[in-house]
Amino acid sequence: MWRAEERVTRSDHSSIVAEEEGILAVIGMRTGAIVMLGLVLLAWVMPTLALDTPIAWAMQLVLAATAVAVAPGTLLLAAWRPRPLLTVFEWLALGLGLSLVLVQLITIFVMTVHTSAMVGQQILLLGCVLAAVVAVARRSPAQLALRGDELGLGLGIAVIAGFLYVQGSPVNSTEDHIHISIVRRLASLGNPSIHNVYFSPNIIYTYPYPGTHYLMTLITRVADADAMFAYSKLRVMWGPWALLLLCVLARRFFGNPAVALASAVTALALVANGAFANVTGFFWGQMAPYSHASDIAMGVMLPALLLLAFEYFRATTRSESVLFFVGAIGLVVMLAIVHIREVVQFLVYMGAFAIALLLVGGHSRLWRRVAGLTATSVALMLLYGRWHAAVVGHVSGIVDESKQSLVKVAANASWSDWVSPLLPLLAGFATAFEPMFYLWNPVILFAGPWVIWHFRREPLVLMIAASILVYLLIIRFPLFAIPYIYVTYFEILYTPVRNMIFFIHVMAGALVYLIAVSALRVPGVAAYGVALVGGMLLGGAVRYGGPWLATHPDFLYLTLIPVYLVLAILVLRSYRQQRVNLGPLLPTRRWRLAFVAVLLPVLPLTATVASPLKATASFASPAAMLTGQPCVGRHDVEVLFKPPELAAEKHMVGELLSCPPPLSLVQFAARGIPADAVLAVDKFFEYPASVFLPQQMVVWTGPSVAFRDEDRLFGAYYEQYYKSFRKYRQQPFFNTVETDQERELYLRALGVTHVLLNPRVHAMMTTVLAARPAQYRRLYDEAEWAVYEVSNIP
């Protein structure tokens, strides 16, 4: 708990708090540890049963995800026992955060000593067993409590999880293909390192020790599932984890179980109706995250980091402090490695919070902890940044070029530009402003001061207020945005609302709650009618407010900034004058009915087509997903990859039909080709081989440009490509005009060990390769797909 002077209570709320704290069951921590270890062992055993049914695959993935991403941390908590009592939701949420840290440590270890994912699995299992043994052996009393609201929420989350499993995450974009490729390689390599986990040789991945990918790798291996299948279906866990974390964090923010319940139920309902699910027109799952690294970082890892940080802030013993401080720092390191934007956001939140606490006064211990955690995080970020710049050279070059471009923009800006909107001045650095006005976002930002004022006695609400104010200034004024982008990185303001979206999600329920309890001040049954009208007005504002504000963006910014500034002043005065008793916020115990009355009109008014409850096609098994990917046909495809001096010339690929490889090839590549093999591939084929096969390929394939400065990223390949194109107007190797010597030079330069033929080039290249049987040995040839082993290249 907070310090005594920080625990201001409302006597009016005591009965409601007691009601919401209603505990259905209490079990010993030992029992919880035994149950969790049982789930771990079941996760390891179930794949051996070889049950190829939709329900079996779903169970295997859920059990594997629990064994990898929840069990290690929960068992550590059971062994460590930082507190005598945790609710089940708290245990699971904290366990998730600590498990993420442990998986990142395993990632660094296996990639440093170059050992396989099998060893990573064994380390994880051994750690779980040892922690369970310690938990059972310890005699200190510790208990787990299941509350009634947690049971109800858990059932609701389980229902949503089922629909998310069916809907899954998209797997067809370039970025999805890259992530799937990395997971597949990590699952297959016997000697992973930062130098060989990328899908192409001699390139270090942007995320050198990709903990999120290794998390999915371990889940994939424990469940004995295919990487693509797991990548899609693991949305069954990202969504529930995001909702679980929001529920526990709402309790920390608002200090009231009723408001926490309202926040969690609202978020659950808005995921169900689509408002807090997929953002229309954007690759973003919100509270139902996709398996994309950015969504996992935003929807799961950042909230987990906030929770561990908050537990450290409120710790009362050395044991608590050490565990949660180390856990928070570990997640800072993980986020810095796997998706640095969320660490930047965390540091802004902490910095704004520290300043707010300093101005308010009276929270000296809390301020010291916030400042200490922030300073430590900044130091680690700087150290990691220097290492990353030295190791991942291709990214450092892009970052340096972007900074130079930003400096030029700042140097050429007029005085008025510095206080004008970000666009068009920062068009290359701030994009996708549309989600700022999407559904609930502007409404919650406008209603935020009301929510913050009512819960201003809670220290963490100060963090919400200060953080939103800081980001409104950054998003509106180049004066703040330019230095922010410069000291962080050039993509930090891509989709600006993401910087404060978690606060919007957590405050939505608090707003519905306030409308409900305010309506109850009307006597009798009429209160529910008022609540219903309040819900209709709220739903109308959500449905129609955003589109209007999108055409008047400065009305939002230039109204909210002074409102939040005035709010800050009023909160500061109330603290200094010790006026923190908020009065009777909950006049009766009827708030649940009023809360439902508010939600009833809100849900249909804010519903979207993105609801996970809507029927959708789904793949029941890994084999069905691999073979069920659609063929992609293109007409009149032009060659976009040309030497600079030939850029004006027009050359055509012609008709292009790309279909996924057959399942037999996928299975053959997994068992018959070394994972460290390098494949020569047709540059223009739509489906990159690494999405289906664990081997590396010489270049990312497809007729469109997929990477920034692609010819620099795949420099060795494009050197050969441009040479062939200048001479023959053809891609290298996959043509009938090159000499044997030119093909051999291509193979040596790129370290090719195998050649992959797809249906587009099969007929042409089998004839070419058959003429040199001593150099090209056919290993596989089915359905116009073939693999040749390269040997005897002088």
Side-chain angles (χ1 to χ4, degrees):
M1 298 296 290
W2 309 110
R3 285 173 44 185
E5 62 265 35
E6 294 164 353
R7 294 199 303 267
V8 183
T9 60
R10 299 188 193 93
S11 58
D12 310 78
H13 293 182
S14 58
S15 62
I16 299 298
V17 170
E19 177 188 353
E20 291 300 323
E21 289 282 3
I23 295 175
L24 298 181
V26 177
I27 62 172
M29 188 66 78
R30 293 177 182 173
T31 304
I34 292 171
V35 170
M36 189 60 69
L37 181 61
L39 292 176
V40 171
L41 297 177
L42 182 60
W44 252 264
V45 169
M46 190 171 179
T48 64
L49 302 178
L51 302 174
D52 191 13
T53 66
I55 293 177
W57 281 114
M59 289 180 62
Q60 283 178 212
L61 274 177
V62 170
L63 284 170
T66 302
V68 172
V70 178
T74 54
L75 289 170
L76 175 62
L77 284 167
W80 196 283
R81 297 190 182 180
R83 293 190 192 135
L85 179 68
L86 290 171
T87 71
V88 171
F89 269 30
E90 289 173 334
W91 187 50
L92 294 175
L94 291 169
L96 172 62
L98 294 172
S99 294
L100 293 173
V101 176
L102 295 172
V103 168
Q104 183 62 58
L105 291 175
I106 294 173
T107 306
I108 295 172
F109 173 77
V110 298
M111 292 183 64
T112 300
V113 303
H114 314 310
T115 190
S116 70
M118 176 62 75
V119 176
Q121 283 180 262
Q122 293 168 346
I123 293 172
L124 196 71
L125 178 59
L126 179 61
C128 287
V129 171
L130 290 177
V133 170
V134 173
V136 172
R138 288 200 63 178
R139 294 186 177 182
S140 60
Q143 292 180 312
L144 292 173
L146 175 63
R147 296 206 316 254
D149 57 350
E150 291 185 352
L151 179 60
L153 282 169
L155 293 174
I157 291 172
V159 172
I160 289 294
F163 284 99
L164 290 176
Y165 179 85
V166 173
Q167 191 176 80
S169 292
V171 296
N172 290 323
S173 75
T174 296
E175 292 194 15
D176 290 321
H177 284 169
I178 293 171
H179 295 312
I180 293 168
S181 299
I182 302 300
V183 173
R184 192 177 296 283
R185 279 195 63 72
L186 284 168
S188 302
L189 280 173
N191 60 335
S193 75
I194 64 172
H195 301 284
N196 69 358
V197 299
Y198 205 51
F199 58 79
S200 192
N202 305 315
I203 298 173
I204 298 178
Y205 192 25
T206 306
Y207 317 125
Y209 295 98
T212 49
H213 299 75
Y214 203 77
L215 175 73
M216 286 186 275
T217 295
L218 291 174
I219 294 172
T220 297
R221 289 187 59 89
V222 172
D224 195 24
D226 178 79
M228 179 184 288
F229 184 77
Y231 183 87
S232 175
K233 295 302 185 180
L234 275 175
R235 200 179 185 200
V236 69
M237 299 307 298
W238 309 135
W241 290 342
L243 290 166
L244 170 69
L245 288 162
L246 181 138
C247 177
V248 177
L249 280 167
R251 180 74 178 272
R252 299 294 183 264
F253 277 120
F254 302 115
N256 186 306
V259 186
L261 176 62
S263 291
V265 170
T266 301
L268 181 65
L270 294 180
V271 168
N273 85 340
F276 279 5
N278 316 350
V279 179
T280 305
F282 287 83
F283 194 85
W284 181 15
Q286 294 196 98
M287 291 295 297
Y290 294 141
S291 290
H292 191 283
S294 63
D295 258 24
I296 298 172
M298 173 66 67
V300 178
M301 295 174 65
L302 177 59
L305 172 56
L306 288 172
L307 179 59
L308 290 177
F310 295 168
E311 298 308 291
Y312 166 62
F313 297 159
R314 67 199 291 264
T316 57
T317 66
R318 182 178 296 276
S319 176
E320 280 185 273
S321 298
V322 169
L323 178 63
F324 295 127
F325 177 81
V326 172
I329 289 300
L331 259 185
V332 166
V333 172
M334 184 178 189
L335 271 172
I337 294 173
V338 303
H339 209 260
I340 202 167
R341 178 180 60 199
E342 283 68 29
V343 175
V344 174
Q345 290 177 224
F346 175 74
L347 293 177
V348 172
Y349 300 161
M350 293 299 105
F353 188 28
I355 294 172
L357 290 173
L358 198 61
L359 292 174
V360 163
H363 297 276
S364 57
R365 190 190 68 170
L366 177 58
W367 182 87
R368 286 195 301 271
R369 291 191 174 186
V370 173
L373 181 61
T374 306
T376 306
S377 300
V378 169
L380 289 172
M381 282 274 290
L382 293 174
L383 288 172
Y384 175 74
R386 290 178 65 87
W387 178 84
H388 190 276
V391 172
V392 192
H394 63 91
V395 174
S396 301
I398 294 174
V399 171
D400 292 341
E401 290 173 6
S402 299
K403 284 194 173 185
Q404 293 171 11
S405 176
L406 183 64
V407 169
K408 290 179 182 178
V409 169
N412 294 326
S414 65
W415 287 107
S416 62
D417 286 337
W418 288 91
V419 293
S420 297
L422 266 58
L423 301 181
L425 181 68
L426 296 175
F429 300 92
T431 62
F433 278 85
E434 296 91 333
M436 181 68 72
F437 310 101
Y438 181 74
L439 290 177
W440 285 79
N441 297 347
V443 173
I444 299 300
L445 289 174
F446 271 107
W450 185 33
V451 175
I452 291 165
W453 179 251
H454 270 286
F455 297 101
R456 65 192 180 276
R457 71 181 182 88
E458 300 296 333
L460 296 180
V461 171
L462 299 177
M463 188 190 79
I464 296 177
S467 299
I468 290 177
L469 176 58
V470 167
Y471 272 115
L472 286 172
L473 290 169
I474 290 172
I475 293 169
R476 172 54 181 80
F477 294 107
L479 177 66
F480 302 103
I482 288 176
Y484 178 61
I485 297 170
Y486 185 83
V487 300
T488 57
Y489 77 118
F490 66 96
E491 292 183 338
I492 193 67
L493 287 184
Y494 284 17
T495 319
V497 75
R498 290 176 70 111
N499 290 281
M500 48 189 173
I501 192 65
F502 183 76
F503 301 136
I504 292 172
H505 289 157
V506 81
M507 284 197 298
L511 173 61
V512 174
Y513 173 86
L514 287 177
I515 294 173
V517 297
S518 298
L520 288 176
R521 289 175 176 155
V522 175
V525 178
Y528 302 114
V530 173
L532 195 66
V533 171
M536 295 173 64
L537 294 174
L538 177 60
V542 170
R543 189 174 185 87
Y544 301 108
W548 184 86
L549 286 168
T551 61
H552 304 80
D554 260 0
F555 181 83
L556 182 143
Y557 300 120
L558 298 184
T559 300
L560 286 180
I561 289 171
V563 166
Y564 277 88
L565 283 171
V566 170
L567 176 68
I569 294 171
L570 293 177
V571 169
L572 180 62
R573 288 183 61 188
S574 71
Y575 266 87
R576 287 182 174 175
Q577 297 173 14
Q578 297 184 345
R579 293 186 304 186
V580 291
N581 193 325
L582 307 186
L585 191 60
L586 296 171
T588 73
R589 297 187 180 187
R590 299 177 298 156
W591 75 270
R592 290 184 181 84
L593 290 175
F595 174 78
V596 172
V598 176
L599 274 185
L600 280 176
V602 164
L603 295 180
L605 283 171
T606 63
T608 76
V609 295
S611 169
L613 304 187
K614 293 186 178 295
T616 182
S618 181
F619 297 103
S621 68
M625 173 162 282
L626 287 169
T627 58
Q629 298 307 302
C631 294
V632 179
R634 295 177 183 266
H635 303 287
D636 300 324
V637 179
E638 182 180 356
V639 176
L640 301 179
F641 311 96
K642 292 172 285 191
E645 70 273 15
L646 302 179
E649 293 187 9
K650 186 173 183 178
H651 298 276
M652 305 299 293
V653 179
E655 300 299 305
L656 188 60
L657 178 65
S658 301
C659 297
L663 184 60
S664 60
L665 174 56
V666 175
Q667 294 169 340
F668 171 78
R671 68 175 186 272
I673 306 175
D676 57 1
V678 178
L679 306 178
V681 289
D682 171 19
K683 175 68 182 81
F684 300 108
F685 200 70
E686 193 82 36
Y687 277 107
S690 62
V691 178
F692 299 90
L693 316 179
Q695 291 74 28
Q696 288 182 310
M697 54 188 187
V698 294
V699 70
W700 188 258
T701 65
S704 304
V705 178
F707 295 86
R708 181 171 177 168
D709 298 327
E710 186 166 314
D711 56 348
R712 285 200 297 177
L713 180 62
F714 306 105
Y717 173 82
Y718 274 98
E719 181 180 349
Q720 301 300 316
Y721 178 92
Y722 288 155
K723 185 187 301 182
S724 177
F725 199 88
R726 289 185 181 103
K727 188 173 182 179
Y728 301 112
R729 301 302 191 265
Q730 298 279 343
Q731 66 169 310
F733 195 86
F734 295 91
N735 59 68
T736 58
V737 294
E738 282 184 321
T739 66
D740 291 336
Q741 290 73 26
E742 286 170 330
R743 294 185 204 282
E744 291 168 2
L745 176 61
Y746 169 89
L747 297 172
R748 284 198 306 271
L750 301 179
V752 172
T753 63
H754 294 74
V755 177
L756 176 66
L757 304 184
N758 59 55
R760 198 182 83 88
V761 298
H762 182 273
M764 171 182 67
M765 292 306 299
T766 50
T767 301
V768 171
L769 301 183
R772 303 294 297 272
Q775 293 181 335
Y776 306 106
R777 184 168 68 94
R778 186 170 59 186
L779 303 179
Y780 172 94
D781 195 344
E782 289 183 24
E784 296 188 288
W785 286 84
V787 177
Y788 285 79
E789 183 180 22
V790 175
S791 59
N792 300 321
I793 300 298

